[in-house]
Amino acid sequence: MLPGVHRAILGGTFDPPHLAHLVAGEAAYRQLGVDVVSFIPAGSPWQKQGREVTDARHRLVMTRLATGGVPYFETDDREVTRDGPTYTFDTLQTFPADEQITLILGADAAAGIRSWHRAEEVLARCRVAVAPRPGTDRRAVEEAVGSRLDWLDVPDLDISGTALRRRVAEGASIRFLVPESVYRYVTTYRLYREDR
Ligand code: ATP
Ligand code: MG
């Protein structure tokens, strides 16, 4: 990778990765002119302790499947191979200082950024590109992020990992809400099913 690259980072649990994640990455590429979008599955998400998160290896493979074939998308395993809770601050330290970094967040995540570990330093290092999400308030995002904010122009997509897991558990289909490859993976490994 050439020095001075502009990288967008889209972190998440990706349990499972779905179309709204890909649409946000595409918007960052088209609208902000980033060189690459790095999808980074969280190893042990500190905000999700309390619910059972699917094994990181499954989430990593599904993220690779979801991003595969798009030349400006990559899936990065640096968080799943690290022990302990996953903090964005620590992840940012592992990228070269001369890279320009934009964090891609959904509006729900962006509204909570002040509660993050070393939030001030995260906001000093990156710009933040936010995808509006149904049910979240733009003003709350603007107050939390401050001036280094870019709104991404994406359609409201009412898709969430939580709702997808629930659908599978209830025997409903998630086909066409996730990439076909992810749909096949979830089916093959019987992820999210009550009867696994
Ligand atoms: P869960 O319901 O398990 O939290 P999720 O759909 O929120 O799943 P995450 O992996 O938690 O997916 O999200 C990664 C990032 O993608 C977060 O910044 C989140 O806000 C954003 N995101 C997820 N779904 C959407 C959506 N429908 N619209 C905009 N942003 C989204
Ligand atoms: Mg979420």
Side-chain angles (χ1 to χ4, degrees):
M1 193 73 61
L2 295 170
V5 68
H6 184 182
R7 180 186 305 279
I9 292 179
L10 207 174
T13 325
F14 301 124
D15 193 13
H18 54 67
L19 294 190
H21 296 135
L22 299 174
V23 166
E26 174 71 8
Y29 179 71
R30 301 286 166 189
Q31 294 162 27
L32 307 178
V34 304
D35 300 302
V36 59
V37 181
S38 299
F39 290 72
I40 310 187
S44 171
W46 62 276
Q47 288 170 310
K48 304 230 163 144
Q49 289 161 11
R51 95 161 170 86
E52 193 76 23
V53 173
T54 305
D55 191 292
R57 281 166 302 181
H58 282 313
R59 296 184 291 103
L60 178 64
V61 174
M62 289 193 286
T63 308
R64 286 205 177 113
L65 290 170
T67 56
V70 182
Y72 43 89
F73 284 177
E74 66 174 31
T75 291
D76 188 304
D77 68 0
R78 72 186 68 205
E79 289 192 354
V80 300
T81 53
R82 195 163 76 213
D83 283 336
T86 302
Y87 295 117
T88 301
F89 172 80
D90 297 330
T91 302
L92 290 171
Q93 305 284 96
T94 65
F95 287 97
D98 68 350
E99 284 194 8
Q100 190 185 335
I101 296 185
T102 294
L103 277 185
I104 304 174
L105 298 174
D108 60 313
I113 198 168
R114 293 285 163 181
S115 71
W116 289 15
H117 178 61
R118 305 183 79 160
E120 292 287 331
E121 287 139 295
V122 170
L123 286 167
R125 175 70 178 89
C126 309
R127 288 190 68 83
V128 180
V130 181
R133 196 166 187 182
T136 47
D137 171 10
R138 283 194 175 231
R139 273 224 320 275
V141 171
E142 278 156 9
E143 276 166 26
V145 174
S147 58
R148 306 193 71 198
L149 167 69
D150 296 300
W151 284 103
L152 295 172
D153 178 16
V154 294
D156 270 4
L157 292 170
D158 194 3
I159 305 175
S160 69
T162 303
L164 294 169
R165 294 190 299 274
R166 189 184 312 126
R167 287 185 70 80
V168 176
E170 290 169 349
S173 175
I174 62 168
R175 197 169 198 175
F176 308 122
L177 298 170
V178 297
E180 191 68 8
S181 52
V182 171
Y183 168 73
R184 274 193 245 112
Y185 190 93
V186 167
T187 306
T188 302
Y189 289 94
R190 301 172 69 83
L191 301 184
Y192 313 125
R193 290 177 54 138
E194 304 264 83
D195 58 351
R196 330 180 36 215

